Amino acid sequence: MERTHIKSIKQKIGEKITIKGFVETIRQQGSIAFLIIRDVTGRAQVVVLKSHTEAFDTCKTLTLESVVCITGLAKEEKQAPNGFEIEAEEIMVLSLASPELPIPVVFEKGGEETDAPKRFDYRWIDLRKDERINIFKVWTELEKGVRKYTEENNFIQVYAPSFMGVPSESGAEVFEVNYFDRKAYLAQSPQFYKQMAMAAGFEKVFITGPIFRAEPSYTTRHMTEFTGWDFELSYIESHHDVMDELEKFLISGFEQVNKTVLPELEIPKRPFPRVTMKEAKELLRAKGISGEKDYDVSPEEERELGRLIKEQTGSDFVFLIDYPANGRAFYHMRYPDQPDITKGFDLIYKGLEIVTGAQREHRYEVLEKQAKEKGMDVESLRGYMDFFKYGCPPHGGVGIGPGRIIMQMLDLPSVKEATLLPRDVKRINP
Ligand code: ATP
């Protein structure tokens, strides 16, 4: 018999239907038993009467979180959670769960959530909870929304390799791997390749893929592997064009989430406030907060800046622009009249960096000079430098951390909660 998703039972009252899912609760009361069955669309109460002998006997052998297929009559029942229940005629056990669950899916009254490390050890059970699955439904919709934007605005979708002959950023955070008779590096970003696509004349590209960072950090916003979204645009006049595009891209994502799974989500308004690093530092100092570096902001400064801007403008988003050159990569373009200031920016959402972007330096000689100034080995960058030798449009783009967007959107305590299987210094399993 064709399966009915629990969400659709309402339309099938009076019919014999088959549902499939996990057994969330079991309540035996003499000659009657009640089950709550859960599938990805919702929960349904199932009543099992002693008169259906076989189903009733099977029900006695059931354990919590077993997977079953139940056929029976869908009927209205005012007492049941959604106003309907299924009177089981047949119960087939598709997978019997061990009686001792390592972590609970449903809490007893007053029960507490298991600590994160143990939950991540048993991630597949942890993810059975509504609020966990919901995180990934939100991500799915966000991605649908941003892709809608890229599709409607002539972006070309490309994928970049993860193996690289040279590290994509300065050396420290790179994973080195054995690659036959030599070393290779796992991409810390698709930076070089998206710029190559600009040199190839693609004009607008969108990339998603895994990003690897050998960051020995134990923060709530870093992992060693994460999904990145990147886009790059040609023929821009300045980094402000990139920020404009990013605002529209994100709003399209937020609109899709709001329309489908999170109606309470506020859709940000354009333009997002843009504050220079100099202004930001002054604002923060006035509040008695000063970080160690004048060319970057500490997590505390980021949080406080987000809060101040929210207070002043009502915006959850703020662009921090005009980063000093000593805090930025060699390929960020600098102002002709202020060679120490880059056309680089970060986007902060509710006090956390979610995007880095910039206009890139596309002029070969200037790029080479900047690389040398940063002490880079230009010869080892030859493969990259050559992209700019045979004609390359002015361009700029962004690297976006969707996990961090979801973390902030849903007020999650860590980016790991927004990741199916987080990877960090200690964890590479399951
Ligand atoms: P941070 O300063 O927070 O360490 P970053 O400046 O190293 O971040 P970028 O290299 O600019 O980050 O990467 C682009 C985006 O990718 C960031 O804005 C962030 O959203 C995301 N991101 C960077 N590193 C990580 C990480 N280790 N885990 C998860 N997301 C990350």
Side-chain angles (χ1 to χ4, degrees), residues 213 215 221-223 226 353-356 399-401 404:
R213 303 272 170 96
E215 315 206 52
R221 60 189 195 286
H222 290 105
M223 294 179 294
F226 63 96
E353 176 200 323
I354 57 162
V355 180
T356 291
I400 305 167
R404 290 198 190 173

Side-chain angles (χ1 to χ4, degrees), residues 69 268 272 411:
C69 170
F272 301 171
D411 295 318

Side-chain angles (χ1 to χ4, degrees), residues 1 11-17 72-75:
M1 198 172 186
Q11 286 103 51
K12 298 210 170 170
I13 302 296
E15 289 177 40
K16 191 167 167 174
I17 61 165
L73 184 69
K75 50 181 204 177

Side-chain angles (χ1 to χ4, degrees), residues 118-164:
K118 187 155 185 205
R119 284 195 292 105
F120 288 132
D121 285 344
Y122 295 98
R123 188 63 163 151
W124 67 100
I125 303 175
D126 179 45
L127 291 171
R128 291 179 189 180
K129 295 161 213 155
D130 284 350
E131 65 270 30
R132 303 273 190 280
I133 292 189
N134 196 43
I135 294 168
F136 300 90
K137 290 182 181 169
V138 170
W139 185 319
T140 303
E141 295 302 333
L142 180 72
E143 188 151 344
K144 221 186 269 177
V146 299
R147 279 180 187 275
K148 180 166 169 277
Y149 183 79
T150 61
E151 276 163 26
E152 288 171 358
N153 289 277
N154 306 316
F155 281 78
I156 298 176
Q157 164 87 56
V158 293
Y159 293 94
S162 289
F163 284 129
M164 300 182 79

